Amino acid sequence: MEGEEGVQNPQLALANMLFSLTLNDVDDIEKVRLRDEVFKFIFTNDMAPLYETLIADKFLELDQKALESMRSKNDDELKKLKEKIADAEENLGESEVREANLALSLFYIRIGDKEKALEQLKVTETKTVAVGQKMDLVFYTLQIGFFHMDFDLISKSIDKAKALFEEGGDWERKNRLKVYEGLFCMSTRNFKKASSLFLDSISTFTTYDLFSYDTFIFYTVLASIISLDRVSLKQKVVDAPEILTVIDKIPYLSDFLNSLYECQYKSFFIAFAGLTEQIKLDRYLHPHFRYFMREIRPVVYSQFLESYKSVTIEAMAKAFGVSIEFIDAELSRFIAAGKLHCKIDKVAGVLETNRPDAKNALYQSTIKEGDFLLNRIQKLSRVIDL
């Protein structure tokens, strides 16, 4: 189940194909091709339980002969695996018993039987002593979780992995877990934590079983843009050598990142429009498409407005390459939601910024806390004098 370097876990690739079948953006011809690919994969791997589920969910049509063939092969292989476990328990040592149980776990994973796979992984864990091997079982569980987008299972597995690391564990597995947790955070709309975990993993990435390095960089840049301030974005993303080596391979991503940092707002919106299709077609990002669209725009508008005490709506519309009406509607919505600190003077056609003065707020806070500390010291000195 675990992918080799540079190769995505085949079942997660299957999950991506199944997801594409649910999208209206994918045309009918492509869906016919995808169904053929899905059936071919399922039949090749004798995935009878998953096939039955997909038939019930109207993804695939029933081929009775194919289903019976897969069931027959499953029964034969299951019998052999159980005999191997029995033989290991009677005649061999603990490691052989563990390996025989693991083989049965991997069999259930391969054929797509979620419940039996999870049950057998628990049995295998009882036969496992080494922390590293226990961690590998958690990674198998996480992959099942991501296949089914079972966030409860993923969350519990991540917590379990962290508890195991308190007993030991190597850096390679710890770094892998960061990417798994980052993907979980991104999939549950916690982009700030996802960005932090992904950025920590840029130079140590080995999690090819989840996705390619190019996809990893794609996720890292998207999560970072709506999570980091401008200075941090420059240090950790714009100038990061690992990102620079692959960012040009991903359509629109370089323009998206650099035009934002360089304040080329018209270019930014063009690149953003190009990226939206990739976001919509991504299995993990698709549910958050509207949210991401909503969160990225105040970031850009705020950056533009930071340079001005006041600016005409016409000048801002021109900078972004959109109409005055569009900017007026956009800013009104974000101001009302508390996302932008400015007000619109419709009569003069001017935007006036009223963002909080961070330095002044810090000064006032320091004065207040300083007065409180001085009062405490004076009271303490009176007690000591007595």
Side-chain angles (χ1 to χ4, degrees):
M1 174 110 177
E2 189 175 317
E4 297 173 8
E5 184 168 325
V7 180
Q8 186 184 25
N9 175 304
Q11 291 203 356
L12 291 180
L14 172 64
N16 289 339
M17 288 191 282
L18 291 171
F19 167 72
S20 296
L21 287 172
T22 67
L23 298 175
N24 294 326
D25 301 80
V26 178
D27 62 46
D28 292 340
I29 295 172
E30 176 63 7
K31 284 186 177 180
V32 169
R33 187 193 71 77
L34 284 169
R35 282 194 182 90
D36 289 343
E37 282 285 313
V38 168
F39 178 77
K40 182 180 176 183
F41 184 92
I42 285 172
F43 187 70
T44 302
N45 291 281
D46 302 316
M47 302 175 76
L50 182 62
Y51 184 48
E52 291 177 89
T53 301
L54 294 176
I55 292 167
D57 293 341
K58 309 293 184 187
F59 275 95
L60 298 175
E61 294 180 359
L62 173 62
D63 182 330
Q64 190 64 42
K65 188 176 178 182
L67 179 58
E68 287 173 3
S69 171
M70 287 187 277
R71 280 175 175 166
S72 175
K73 289 178 182 176
N74 287 170
D75 291 342
D76 290 344
E77 191 169 351
L78 184 59
K79 184 181 177 183
K80 289 175 184 175
L81 287 167
K82 287 189 173 179
E83 286 173 354
K84 191 173 180 181
I85 290 173
D87 178 57
E89 287 176 341
E90 288 179 23
N91 306 309
L92 301 171
E94 289 180 0
S95 62
E96 288 82 4
V97 170
R98 190 252 177 201
E99 290 305 311
N101 276 281
L102 176 61
L104 182 57
S105 301
L106 297 180
F107 164 75
Y108 283 130
I109 292 171
R110 196 197 79 219
I111 66 172
D113 194 327
K114 179 187 176 184
E115 300 309 320
K116 288 185 178 176
L118 292 174
E119 187 181 315
Q120 184 57 36
L121 281 167
K122 287 179 182 176
V123 173
T124 305
E125 187 184 4
T126 64
K127 314 290 183 183
T128 305
V129 176
V131 172
Q133 290 179 331
K134 285 184 178 181
M135 271 302 310
D136 290 338
L137 297 179
V138 176
F139 283 124
Y140 289 131
T141 306
L142 283 166
Q143 288 163 9
I144 294 170
F146 279 115
F147 180 88
H148 294 279
M149 296 298 259
D150 184 339
F151 294 127
D152 184 53
L153 176 63
I154 295 167
S155 178
K156 287 176 180 175
S157 298
I158 289 170
D159 289 342
K160 185 175 182 178
K162 288 178 178 178
L164 281 170
F165 278 134
E166 290 179 8
E167 300 174 25
D170 57 85
W171 282 107
E172 194 273 334
R173 287 185 175 93
K174 286 183 179 179
N175 289 327
R176 284 187 68 205
L177 183 64
K178 283 184 181 179
V179 181
Y180 275 82
E181 186 179 2
L183 181 59
F184 168 67
C185 291
M186 188 183 78
S187 302
T188 51
R189 209 173 277 185
N190 187 349
F191 286 95
K192 189 175 182 66
K193 189 171 182 182
S195 169
S196 174
L197 289 163
F198 286 158
L199 288 168
D200 281 351
S201 309
I202 279 184
S203 59
T204 57
F205 180 84
T206 57
T207 321
Y208 297 99
D209 46 322
L210 282 181
F211 36 62
S212 68
Y213 191 64
D214 290 4
T215 301
F216 171 67
I217 294 300
F218 176 65
Y219 292 155
T220 302
V221 172
L222 291 187
S224 298
I225 275 183
I226 62 171
S227 303
L228 301 181
D229 59 58
R230 196 162 183 269
V231 174
S232 299
L233 191 69
K234 172 71 170 171
Q235 292 172 344
K236 298 179 179 181
V237 183
V238 174
D239 290 340
E242 295 88 354
I243 290 177
L244 289 171
T245 56
V246 299
I247 196 169
D248 288 327
K249 298 179 187 177
I250 304 161
Y252 302 106
L253 192 62
S254 179
D255 288 343
F256 179 66
L257 174 63
N258 291 303
S259 60
L260 173 64
Y261 183 75
E262 293 165 6
C263 305
Q264 303 294 324
Y265 300 111
K266 196 180 292 187
S267 300
F268 173 83
F269 265 45
I270 292 169
F272 187 34
L275 271 181
T276 55
E277 199 63 24
Q278 293 180 59
I279 297 170
K280 277 198 283 188
L281 294 175
D282 186 274
R283 180 169 172 251
Y284 303 106
L285 289 171
H286 177 83
H288 315 296
F289 173 68
R290 291 185 182 281
Y291 172 83
F292 191 83
M293 293 280 286
R294 205 163 54 240
E295 288 298 302
I296 190 66
R297 300 205 300 275
V299 170
V300 187
Y301 297 146
S302 293
Q303 181 174 294
F304 175 85
L305 291 169
E306 275 177 13
S307 305
Y308 302 94
K309 182 68 178 171
S310 66
V311 63
T312 65
I313 300 175
E314 183 181 3
M316 187 170 180
K318 189 175 181 181
F320 283 88
V322 295
S323 68
I324 292 173
E325 292 75 18
F326 177 83
I327 281 291
D328 183 39
E330 283 273 276
L331 297 186
S332 298
R333 185 161 58 249
F334 290 123
I335 290 168
K339 299 274 188 181
L340 289 176
H341 301 289
C342 66
K343 59 183 180 180
I344 301 173
D345 184 339
K346 290 281 284 185
V347 177
V350 170
L351 293 164
E352 294 181 5
T353 58
N354 57 358
R355 59 187 174 274
D357 188 335
K359 285 186 179 179
N360 188 50
L362 182 61
Y363 173 75
Q364 295 297 336
S365 174
T366 304
I367 294 294
K368 185 177 179 181
E369 289 176 14
D371 286 344
F372 178 73
L373 180 61
L374 285 171
N375 288 335
R376 293 292 299 272
I377 291 171
Q378 285 171 355
K379 287 178 182 178
L380 183 62
S381 66
R382 284 198 292 269
V383 172
I384 294 170
D385 287 342
L386 290 173

